[in-house]
Amino acid sequence: QRRQNPRKILLLGISSGASVCTRMLQYMAEKQRGQPLIPSYLGPLVDASAMPAGAILMGPFVDFTQPQGALVEYPKHDLIVNQRVLETGLPYLDTHVPDRTAYSPVHRSFEGLPPLCVVVSEHEAVYDMSVTLVNRARADGVDCTLAVWKYMCHVFSFLDAFIPEGRQSVEFVCEWIRHRKQQQQQGRRQG
């Protein structure tokens, strides 16, 4: 079995995949703190010693509670997270998620998480929850970078071949990764 040093790994989560990344990091931190995991069956699967170097979260959909703010206002303008997502996605959660607040990464502790880079548009449906995630992560002591563009749809970074803002956001993330790598190398030289 070939193992990689987790400190050399950065996670990338897009939309609800950013939620999965965030919860995975939270599970690891919760296990390090000796807290019970929700759902409990994940306990044996979580290796708390393998915390990655950080995560990039693009348009993170991280709040499964009652829609509010941008999630209610912007789907009529957003090309990706539109009204149909609200009509079908949220009722699905009601039948599969017993406690939306407990399962929402934005409503859990960020203590012990590695650095995060959040990319979002000020005019996309997940803007409010992205800002809340950043504020809560920073309040819990996490090094968290927020990059905001205007007038873009959800996960606009993947339109980088078509729009300059998408390309700019990808370049921003690449620069964030280079900066993280330089910090790690400096830390190794000093340590």
Side-chain angles (χ1 to χ4, degrees):
Q1 179 179 357
R2 185 174 165 195
R3 288 190 56 103
Q4 295 295 319
N5 178 351
R7 299 306 302 162
K8 292 183 176 184
I9 297 172
L10 288 169
L11 303 179
L12 171 64
I14 304 148
S15 190
S16 57
S19 181
V20 172
C21 282
T22 306
R23 274 306 288 137
M24 184 177 82
L25 296 171
Q26 289 170 327
Y27 282 133
M28 295 170 88
E30 288 164 3
K31 191 166 185 178
Q32 285 175 348
R33 292 191 302 269
Q35 293 177 302
L37 301 183
I38 300 173
S40 60
Y41 63 80
L42 288 176
L45 303 174
V46 175
D47 181 357
S49 67
M51 187 67 80
I56 298 113
L57 309 174
M58 294 182 156
F61 197 121
V62 290
D63 188 349
F64 309 135
T65 60
Q66 189 61 35
Q68 57 187 339
L71 189 56
V72 173
E73 183 63 29
Y74 292 146
K76 58 187 162 211
H77 306 294
D78 199 313
L79 300 171
I80 311 297
V81 177
N82 55 35
Q83 196 61 38
R84 188 80 174 131
V85 171
L86 297 179
E87 293 167 0
T88 58
L90 294 177
Y92 173 85
L93 289 176
D94 287 334
T95 60
H96 292 83
V97 178
D99 181 352
R100 284 198 207 175
T101 302
Y103 280 78
S104 296
V106 76
H107 296 293
R108 301 191 65 84
S109 174
F110 289 85
E111 182 184 342
L113 267 63
L116 304 174
C117 177
V118 178
V119 176
V120 68
S121 168
E122 189 176 326
H123 297 93
E124 70 171 291
V126 298
Y127 176 70
D128 292 340
M129 63 180 79
S130 299
V131 171
T132 300
L133 178 149
V134 169
N135 289 338
R136 290 190 176 163
R138 287 175 177 165
D140 283 347
V142 176
D143 177 359
C144 195
T145 301
L146 174 63
V148 180
W149 275 261
K150 291 181 178 253
Y151 311 115
M152 295 290 109
C153 66
H154 185 56
V155 296
F156 68 97
S157 299
F158 290 93
L159 300 174
D160 65 313
F162 307 102
I163 58 173
E165 294 87 352
R167 191 168 32 263
Q168 291 165 3
S169 69
V170 170
E171 290 168 0
F172 180 89
V173 168
C174 290
E175 184 55 38
W176 184 84
I177 292 169
R178 281 190 285 276
H179 179 72
R180 299 274 359 124
K181 189 174 180 180
Q182 286 173 343
Q183 284 183 320
Q184 282 183 326
Q185 290 170 342
Q186 289 172 349
R188 281 196 298 267
R189 277 188 234 126
Q190 293 172 354

